[in-house]
Amino acid sequence: MTTITDTLSIGEVSDRTGLSVHALRFYEREGLLVGPVDRTSGGRRRYSALDVDWLLICVKLRESGMPLAELKRFAGLVREGPGNEAERLHLLDTHRRRVDAQIAALEECRSVITWKVGVYADHLARGEANGLWDPTT
Protein backbone atom coordinates (compact mmCIF):
# COMPACT_ATOMS: atom_id res chain seq x y z
CA MET A 1 0.00 0.00 0.00
CA THR A 2 1.24 3.50 -0.85
CA THR A 3 1.84 5.78 2.09
CA ILE A 4 1.76 9.57 2.15
CA THR A 5 5.58 9.58 2.07
CA ASP A 6 5.52 7.54 -1.16
CA THR A 7 3.36 10.09 -2.95
CA LEU A 8 3.88 13.49 -4.50
CA SER A 9 1.86 16.68 -4.36
CA ILE A 10 0.46 18.25 -7.49
CA GLY A 11 3.23 20.87 -7.35
CA GLU A 12 5.93 18.20 -7.15
CA VAL A 13 4.39 16.35 -10.09
CA SER A 14 4.23 19.60 -12.03
CA ASP A 15 7.97 20.09 -11.42
CA ARG A 16 8.80 16.52 -12.49
CA THR A 17 6.65 16.43 -15.61
CA GLY A 18 6.77 20.01 -16.83
CA LEU A 19 2.98 20.09 -16.86
CA SER A 20 1.33 23.01 -15.13
CA VAL A 21 -0.93 22.40 -12.15
CA HIS A 22 -3.80 23.49 -14.39
CA ALA A 23 -2.77 20.92 -17.05
CA LEU A 24 -2.57 18.16 -14.42
CA ARG A 25 -6.10 18.94 -13.29
CA PHE A 26 -7.20 18.98 -16.94
CA TYR A 27 -5.59 15.58 -17.59
CA GLU A 28 -7.44 14.15 -14.60
CA ARG A 29 -10.76 15.74 -15.57
CA GLU A 30 -10.46 14.52 -19.17
CA GLY A 31 -9.74 10.93 -18.17
CA LEU A 32 -6.15 10.91 -19.41
CA LEU A 33 -4.77 9.16 -16.34
CA VAL A 34 -4.82 5.39 -16.02
CA GLY A 35 -6.18 5.40 -12.51
CA PRO A 36 -7.81 7.68 -9.99
CA VAL A 37 -5.55 10.14 -8.21
CA ASP A 38 -5.39 9.49 -4.49
CA ARG A 39 -6.47 12.27 -2.15
CA THR A 40 -5.45 13.19 1.36
CA SER A 41 -8.11 13.45 4.05
CA GLY A 42 -8.09 17.17 3.26
CA GLY A 43 -8.82 16.51 -0.43
CA ARG A 44 -5.36 17.33 -1.77
CA ARG A 45 -4.17 15.25 -4.71
CA ARG A 46 -1.36 12.76 -4.04
CA TYR A 47 0.29 11.16 -7.05
CA SER A 48 2.18 7.86 -7.13
CA ALA A 49 5.39 7.11 -9.01
CA LEU A 50 3.24 5.17 -11.49
CA ASP A 51 1.13 8.30 -12.09
CA VAL A 52 4.30 10.30 -12.80
CA ASP A 53 5.65 7.64 -15.16
CA TRP A 54 2.36 7.63 -17.07
CA LEU A 55 2.27 11.43 -17.23
CA LEU A 56 5.82 11.50 -18.63
CA ILE A 57 4.66 9.19 -21.42
CA CYS A 58 1.64 11.43 -22.03
CA VAL A 59 3.89 14.49 -22.23
CA LYS A 60 6.00 12.85 -24.95
CA LEU A 61 2.98 11.65 -26.87
CA ARG A 62 1.46 15.15 -26.82
CA GLU A 63 4.81 16.84 -27.64
CA SER A 64 5.10 14.55 -30.63
CA GLY A 65 1.68 15.65 -31.86
CA MET A 66 -0.64 12.89 -30.70
CA PRO A 67 -4.16 14.32 -30.79
CA LEU A 68 -5.91 14.57 -27.45
CA ALA A 69 -8.66 12.20 -28.63
CA GLU A 70 -6.07 9.51 -29.41
CA LEU A 71 -4.36 10.01 -26.06
CA LYS A 72 -7.74 9.64 -24.35
CA ARG A 73 -8.37 6.45 -26.30
CA PHE A 74 -4.96 5.08 -25.36
CA ALA A 75 -5.49 5.90 -21.66
CA GLY A 76 -8.90 4.26 -21.79
CA LEU A 77 -7.45 1.10 -23.31
CA VAL A 78 -4.75 0.94 -20.62
CA ARG A 79 -7.39 1.44 -17.91
CA GLU A 80 -9.41 -1.45 -19.35
CA GLY A 81 -6.48 -3.75 -18.68
CA PRO A 82 -5.34 -6.86 -20.55
CA GLY A 83 -6.97 -8.01 -23.74
CA ASN A 84 -6.68 -4.92 -25.94
CA GLU A 85 -2.94 -4.83 -26.49
CA ALA A 86 -3.32 -5.17 -30.27
CA GLU A 87 -5.45 -2.03 -30.36
CA ARG A 88 -2.93 -0.18 -28.19
CA LEU A 89 -0.13 -1.29 -30.50
CA HIS A 90 -2.05 -0.14 -33.56
CA LEU A 91 -2.68 3.28 -32.01
CA LEU A 92 0.97 3.73 -31.03
CA ASP A 93 2.29 2.39 -34.33
CA THR A 94 0.05 4.76 -36.30
CA HIS A 95 1.35 7.65 -34.23
CA ARG A 96 4.96 6.51 -34.68
CA ARG A 97 4.51 6.46 -38.44
CA ARG A 98 3.09 9.99 -38.30
CA VAL A 99 6.11 11.13 -36.24
CA ASP A 100 8.48 9.40 -38.68
CA ALA A 101 6.86 11.34 -41.55
CA GLN A 102 7.23 14.61 -39.62
CA ILE A 103 10.90 13.85 -38.95
CA ALA A 104 11.50 13.09 -42.64
CA ALA A 105 9.83 16.37 -43.63
CA LEU A 106 11.90 18.30 -41.08
CA GLU A 107 15.11 16.65 -42.29
CA GLU A 108 14.26 17.74 -45.83
CA CYS A 109 13.66 21.30 -44.58
CA ARG A 110 16.95 21.22 -42.68
CA SER A 111 18.75 20.11 -45.83
CA VAL A 112 17.39 23.08 -47.79
CA ILE A 113 18.25 25.47 -44.96
CA THR A 114 21.78 24.04 -44.69
CA TRP A 115 22.28 24.47 -48.43
CA LYS A 116 21.03 28.07 -48.27
CA VAL A 117 23.29 28.85 -45.28
CA GLY A 118 26.20 27.56 -47.35
CA VAL A 119 25.27 29.80 -50.28
CA TYR A 120 25.14 32.89 -48.09
CA ALA A 121 28.32 31.97 -46.19
CA ASP A 122 30.18 31.45 -49.46
CA HIS A 123 29.06 34.78 -50.90
CA LEU A 124 29.85 36.66 -47.70
CA ALA A 125 33.28 35.02 -47.44
CA ARG A 126 34.03 36.30 -50.94
CA GLY A 127 32.76 39.76 -49.97
CA GLU A 128 30.00 39.83 -52.53
CA ALA A 129 26.27 39.57 -52.46
CA ASN A 130 26.09 38.97 -56.21
CA GLY A 131 23.89 36.01 -56.95
CA LEU A 132 21.80 36.28 -53.81
CA TRP A 133 18.14 37.10 -54.10
CA ASP A 134 17.57 40.81 -54.04
CA PRO A 135 13.94 41.93 -54.00
CA THR A 136 14.96 45.45 -55.01
CA THR A 137 16.28 44.40 -58.41
Side-chain angles (χ1 to χ4, degrees), residues 1-13 16 36-41 44-52:
M1 172 135 199
T2 303
T3 65
I4 196 75
T5 58
D6 297 326
T7 61
L8 300 165
S9 70
I10 196 168
E12 291 170 319
V13 173
R16 289 186 185 200
V37 175
D38 286 336
R39 304 273 182 152
T40 66
S41 58
R44 293 186 183 269
R45 289 170 177 84
R46 297 303 297 177
Y47 294 85
S48 69
L50 185 63
D51 293 325
V52 173

Side-chain angles (χ1 to χ4, degrees), residues 60-131:
K60 292 304 178 193
L61 291 173
R62 289 293 291 147
E63 283 179 356
S64 63
M66 179 178 273
L68 195 56
E70 286 183 23
L71 183 56
K72 281 175 115 171
R73 180 68 185 135
F74 184 56
L77 291 169
V78 172
R79 266 194 311 276
E80 288 174 16
N84 59 28
E85 293 82 3
E87 192 173 349
R88 294 184 214 178
L89 174 61
H90 176 72
L91 196 151
L92 290 171
D93 190 48
T94 298
H95 182 63
R96 182 187 51 80
R97 282 186 268 121
R98 193 169 41 239
V99 169
D100 288 345
Q102 291 170 344
I103 290 169
L106 284 172
E107 287 174 343
E108 186 176 327
C109 292
R110 182 178 55 197
S111 176
V112 169
I113 293 166
T114 299
W115 167 74
K116 198 62 180 167
V117 165
V119 169
Y120 275 77
D122 182 52
H123 282 274
L124 288 173
R126 288 184 283 144
E128 61 183 52
N130 189 15

